[in-house]
Amino acid sequence: MRDLAAGFGYLLKGQRWVARHGRQYGFGLLPGLITLVLYLAALIALAAWGADFVGWATPFADDWSSPWLGLFRGFLTAVLFALSLLLAVLTFTAVTLLIGQPFYDSLSETVDRDVSPDSTAPESQQPLWRDLWISARDSLRILVRALIWAVLLFALGFVPFVGQTVVPVIGFFVTGFFLAEELAAVALQRRDVQLRERLALLRSRKTLVWGFGTPLGLAFLVPFVAVFLMPGAVAGATLMARDLLGEPIEEGGHREDADPAGAGPHETGAGPLN
């Protein structure tokens, strides 16, 4: 329970950090807004032409009598849209992080400097294109794992009682774990922690990760909320990553604000993280 509360605490501390660093928050919103527009366009297109796609994909049902044809294709259309929504929730963070890699790297690095006792932060030794490639590759690997879980949980959803009670709860914890991994990867990739090592690190303290990622996953189900929480989620995940690696966290920040490159006026005595 202590780790669960600590994970949730890092989520809140991240939101407080960006609330005190308005410039970082403003830049951190841009990738989420871009991703939101792209996803909304895709979902609107699916709503408009999803039924046509299902009809094209099921020509064998053309000769079925009413009402079975309508019920069958209506069910498939609903399933297609539901799976698309689930996929959107699972991939929103990954796509936003990929689009906003330079923004979030800068934000995470600034958080590291702000809470580090010596005001330093690990820096990536890779060129930007290499960081983008590693991020995209690792996100795809995480997406495959998440999709396997999604298909399994979808199938278990048809089991009476269990599918309506236990399975949704498991689904939220699974989603929370993968969300936390994607967000913590921003800080851990700068430290050259590879995907397999990251997963082992997060599994070693699952309750901490669930405390951070599960409430965030629930919040992301509310339309548009993900866009506004993303900058703080990256900040909070950076704090959580430091905890996972045993790095010290200074409870009082060094900066009141900073520019996107991490350089800016220093002010001691910024409010405490908690």
Side-chain angles (χ1 to χ4, degrees):
M1 284 297 293
R2 185 175 180 179
D3 259 1
L4 205 64
F8 185 65
Y10 286 132
L11 179 60
L12 295 181
K13 289 176 182 179
Q15 302 302 325
R16 291 170 185 164
W17 190 92
V18 295
R20 298 200 326 269
H21 297 73
R23 196 179 304 174
Q24 289 283 341
Y25 180 65
F27 276 93
L29 286 177
L30 294 177
L33 289 171
I34 294 170
T35 308
L36 178 64
V37 170
L38 294 175
Y39 272 51
L40 283 177
L43 289 173
I44 290 171
L46 183 64
W49 293 293
D52 294 337
F53 173 78
V54 169
W56 170 82
T58 56
F60 59 86
D62 287 342
D63 297 329
W64 289 13
S65 60
S66 181
W68 305 116
L69 175 61
L71 289 173
F72 174 70
R73 286 181 171 167
F75 172 74
L76 288 182
T77 302
V79 168
L80 176 64
F81 197 79
L83 286 176
S84 298
L85 283 175
L86 177 61
L87 186 63
V89 171
L90 290 173
T91 61
F92 184 89
T93 300
V95 174
T96 302
L97 289 174
L98 185 60
I99 292 175
Q101 178 89 10
F103 296 97
Y104 294 135
D105 268 347
S106 172
L107 190 154
S108 176
E109 195 173 321
T110 305
V111 173
D112 267 325
R113 287 199 180 95
D114 194 44
V115 302
S116 173
D118 57 2
S119 299
T120 62
E123 296 182 5
S124 175
Q125 302 304 311
Q126 306 285 350
L128 177 59
W129 70 266
R130 179 68 178 169
D131 279 335
L132 289 172
W133 162 248
I134 293 173
S135 179
R137 181 196 64 191
D138 290 350
S139 293
L140 183 59
R141 291 174 176 175
I142 290 296
L143 176 59
V144 170
R145 288 173 167 85
L147 285 176
I148 292 172
W149 272 99
V151 171
L152 176 62
L153 293 173
F154 180 76
L156 291 175
F158 291 99
V159 178
F161 183 71
V162 174
Q164 292 74 48
T165 54
V166 179
V167 171
V169 174
I170 295 174
F172 284 127
F173 278 98
V174 170
T175 301
F177 181 88
F178 287 124
L179 275 177
E181 193 287 327
E182 290 281 0
L183 290 161
V186 177
L188 294 175
Q189 188 175 316
R190 278 191 293 108
R191 292 163 167 83
D192 200 28
V193 181
Q194 302 301 311
L195 176 60
R196 185 171 296 181
E197 297 170 308
R198 291 203 301 267
L199 290 172
L201 187 64
L202 269 62
R203 289 184 187 122
S204 70
R205 294 182 66 184
K206 288 191 289 290
T207 51
L208 177 73
V209 175
W210 286 335
F212 179 88
T214 303
L216 187 64
L218 288 169
F220 276 16
L221 293 175
V222 181
F224 311 118
V225 165
V227 174
F228 299 101
L229 292 185
M230 273 295 292
V234 172
T238 302
L239 298 173
M240 184 178 68
R242 294 184 67 92
D243 186 348
L244 288 168
L245 294 170
E247 297 177 0
I249 299 175
E250 188 170 278
E251 294 297 326
H254 302 292
R255 295 174 180 80
E256 193 63 29
D257 204 350
D259 66 24
H266 286 49
E267 289 190 22
T268 56
L273 284 171
N274 56 1

